[in-house]
Amino acid sequence: MKLKTAMKENLLQFIWKLKLFSSKKMRITKGKSIEIISVGTENLNSGPDFLNAKIRINNQLWAGNVEIHINSSDWYVHNHEIDERYDAVILHVVWEHDIEIFRKANLEIPTLELKNYISKNVLYKHSQLFSKAKKWIYCENDVTAVDSFIVNHWLDRLYFDRLEQKAIQIKQLLAKTNNNWEATLFVLLAKSFGLKINADAFINFANSFDFSLVRKVSSNKEQLEALFFGQAGLLSNNHESEHFRKLRQEYDYLKLKFKLTPISTGQVQFFRLRPNNFPTIRLSQLASLYNLHQSLFSKIIELNTIEEFYELFSVSTSIFWETHYTFNKTSKRSIKKITKPFVDLLLINTIIPLKFMYLKSMGKDDFSSVIKIIEQIKPEKNTIISKFKELKINSSNALQTQSLLQLKNEYCNKQRCLQCSIGKELLKN
């Protein structure tokens, strides 16, 4: 392997950040001795790569910024010579020195060619980690060598990264609802009740009318179910069922009174769903929930134990759906109650992220209450979690499975190994 072709700028930045190079008898390209007192702080914004570094060149102390490139000439390729943000650069760290560089004032910037001071072992580890051999994740052959304390600490941080991502979506919803937390909760719950197949359709349904209408009709369970079914486009076709006719009659009244427009027929799907997850069942359960609890968001904020949430969401469909999954066909009677595993999904995907966002909006930084809830939920089961289990990375609760999903989707899939604590540890050691 030719080391030059293996080098990438993000790796060179990583090596500089962790000082994975020999600092003895270092010299810049002009032959002067250089001592790295501090590599500086990584700049996560635009501008020089590292800020507030300290170096000593021929016994003269310098304080300022450091810019890193593969080739010295990249300085001019990126037009840094005309960018005032780079005026305070005191050292140009490169892999290959191919040209002298100067600041705007035509003053030469000291250049350190780092390739002469990097151990070949570091480069070998990097080439092995990023081997082109087909792997599920790059570090799958080495991940068990990383100390479990480092892995667990990284997973805890990843869970908060995941919450922050979801908080962005919640913030956008809040803006659309004029900071109405109850209305925002309704949209998020609708999405979760739609599951993966009907998530988008249920979001469209929830956004097709003002949430204030839910409050107006919530005390009348039949009217509320008629509103939900009608706005979801499930009352457009004709059925012989008496229950259908009643819902249709109620919905026609609401539609005329409140000038409603349902989502287009066909958005809500039944295909590839188990009967208990049919949209008819989930919409009826959602209607029952809001019929029982008119101030649902307030209740959710008050609760802090998983048992309390199980009790809150312990609702069933209306009586008609105990013997039906669709309007036309009768089935064996069964109480179609929201199950604990489904409540777990609601907690993971909707309630905990919403509570987290609410606490943040109140200026609080103690999130122990939401952590306690997620830690009580059993680990999720999916192909990603199963694959991690094969790699001896096990999960004992939903916090850890959520963290592993974040790890796979945001780091492994995007090849962000140099920003991952596991990848860093493998390269350091």
Side-chain angles (χ1 to χ4, degrees):
M1 177 189 72
K2 294 181 179 179
L3 297 181
K4 179 178 177 180
T5 58
M7 183 51 60
K8 293 182 179 179
E9 195 168 294
N10 64 344
L11 174 59
L12 203 59
Q13 292 170 349
F14 176 81
I15 290 171
W16 177 260
K17 179 181 178 180
L18 297 184
K19 295 188 75 170
L20 301 179
F21 52 83
S22 173
S23 57
K24 294 180 180 179
K25 298 180 180 180
M26 295 183 79
R27 293 187 178 274
I28 59 174
T29 54
K30 291 294 185 179
K32 297 179 181 179
S33 64
I34 180 172
E35 178 187 357
I36 312 300
I37 299 171
S38 169
V39 298
T41 304
E42 187 176 16
N43 181 17
L44 301 178
N45 301 309
S46 58
D49 295 316
F50 289 83
L51 308 176
N52 304 317
K54 288 183 181 180
I55 62 173
R56 184 177 281 114
I57 298 178
N58 270 7
N59 296 319
Q60 183 175 353
L61 183 64
W62 294 82
N65 304 328
V66 173
E67 178 66 5
I68 296 178
H69 287 127
I70 298 300
N71 302 304
S72 302
S73 55
D74 291 338
W75 180 273
Y76 295 110
V77 172
H78 299 153
N79 298 317
H80 293 334
E81 76 280 6
I82 59 174
D83 191 335
E84 62 183 13
R85 293 175 301 176
Y86 294 83
D87 289 349
V89 170
I90 58 172
L91 183 66
H92 193 207
V93 177
V94 302
W95 174 253
E96 190 84 43
H97 179 58
D98 58 353
I99 193 173
E100 305 299 340
I101 62 159
F102 299 84
R103 296 187 187 90
K104 283 194 301 185
N106 210 32
L107 295 173
E108 187 175 344
I109 300 177
T111 300
L112 175 63
E113 192 176 56
L114 204 58
K115 71 177 183 179
N116 301 315
Y117 304 100
I118 299 174
S119 165
K120 290 184 178 181
N121 188 45
V122 171
L123 300 178
Y124 174 75
K125 285 181 179 179
H126 179 266
S127 67
Q128 288 297 104
L129 181 61
F130 287 94
S131 168
K132 290 184 178 179
K134 189 174 182 180
K135 297 176 182 175
W136 186 65
I137 56 174
Y138 277 121
C139 66
E140 63 183 42
N141 297 328
D142 308 292
V143 64
T144 53
V146 179
D147 187 276
S148 60
F149 176 80
I150 292 172
V151 174
N152 291 332
H153 185 267
W154 177 231
L155 291 179
D156 287 343
R157 181 178 158 188
L158 284 174
Y159 180 62
F160 279 98
D161 285 351
R162 193 165 181 83
L163 284 179
E164 290 287 359
Q165 275 188 347
K166 293 182 177 182
I168 293 172
Q169 299 170 353
I170 295 170
K171 190 174 182 180
Q172 292 170 345
L173 266 177
L174 280 167
K176 290 180 180 179
T177 61
N178 295 317
N179 287 320
N180 187 325
W181 289 93
E182 290 282 1
T184 298
L185 171 63
F186 177 66
V187 176
L188 292 171
L189 280 177
K191 177 184 178 182
S192 292
F193 271 72
L195 298 170
K196 187 177 290 185
I197 289 177
N198 283 314
D200 290 340
F202 273 38
I203 289 175
N204 292 339
F205 140 75
N207 285 322
S208 68
F209 57 94
D210 194 276
F211 178 72
S212 61
L213 185 52
V214 175
R215 290 189 178 278
K216 289 175 182 176
V217 303
S218 60
S219 59
N220 187 322
K221 189 173 183 178
E222 192 170 80
Q223 268 198 345
L224 190 58
E225 187 168 305
L227 172 67
F228 286 6
F229 276 69
Q231 286 302 108
L234 294 178
L235 299 180
S236 300
N237 299 322
N238 289 318
H239 297 282
E240 295 180 0
S241 162
E242 179 63 26
H243 185 64
F244 173 84
R245 285 195 290 270
K246 286 182 179 180
L247 291 183
R248 180 68 175 269
Q249 185 177 356
E250 289 285 0
Y251 177 66
D252 286 343
Y253 165 75
L254 294 172
K255 185 179 180 181
L256 182 64
K257 182 178 180 180
F258 297 105
K259 299 178 181 178
L260 299 173
T261 301
I263 66 173
S264 57
T265 304
Q267 285 192 49
V268 173
Q269 298 292 318
F270 288 77
F271 184 61
R272 288 188 294 123
L273 283 170
R274 293 178 179 176
N276 281 332
N277 286 329
F278 275 8
T280 46
I281 305 305
R282 292 306 181 193
L283 282 174
S284 181
Q285 290 170 340
L286 188 62
S288 295
L289 182 64
Y290 275 93
N291 171 249
L292 284 172
H293 307 291
Q294 282 76 38
S295 300
L296 192 57
F297 174 76
S298 301
K299 290 183 173 64
I300 281 173
I301 294 303
E302 293 171 2
L303 305 186
N304 288 307
T305 69
I306 197 167
E307 289 78 14
E308 289 174 323
F309 282 107
Y310 287 153
E311 183 178 350
L312 179 71
F313 286 94
S314 181
V315 298
S316 305
T317 62
S318 58
I319 295 175
F320 175 81
W321 298 107
E322 291 178 6
T323 55
H324 292 79
Y325 291 100
T326 62
F327 282 112
N328 291 331
K329 190 176 180 179
T330 305
S331 61
K332 184 179 178 181
R333 178 178 293 277
S334 64
I335 306 298
K336 298 176 179 65
K337 199 173 184 178
I338 293 179
T339 63
K340 287 183 178 180
F342 189 74
V343 177
D344 290 343
L345 287 177
L346 296 179
L347 286 165
I348 291 169
N349 297 319
T350 297
I351 295 165
I352 291 175
L354 193 67
K355 283 175 73 75
F356 171 76
M357 181 64 188
Y358 180 73
L359 290 171
K360 280 192 67 178
S361 72
M362 299 296 288
K364 298 180 180 179
D365 55 9
D366 181 6
F367 306 110
S368 57
S369 59
V370 297
I371 295 302
K372 286 178 182 177
I373 297 169
I374 191 77
E375 287 180 335
Q376 294 177 63
I377 301 174
K378 292 179 180 179
E380 301 156 89
K381 294 180 180 180
N382 54 55
T383 54
I384 291 178
I385 303 306
S386 296
K387 190 65 179 178
F388 272 118
K389 191 173 182 179
E390 289 177 20
L391 299 177
K392 310 301 181 187
I393 301 179
N394 298 312
S395 307
S396 58
N397 56 52
L399 184 149
Q400 293 174 337
T401 54
Q402 283 286 292
S403 300
L404 289 175
L405 292 175
Q406 185 75 358
L407 175 63
K408 181 66 168 68
N409 294 327
E410 297 299 323
Y411 287 84
C412 304
N413 289 352
K414 296 180 179 180
Q415 300 178 20
R416 294 174 61 197
C417 303
L418 299 181
Q419 286 81 50
C420 171
S421 293
I422 296 171
K424 287 179 184 178
E425 194 65 19
L426 289 171
L427 286 172
K428 276 198 306 181
N429 299 319

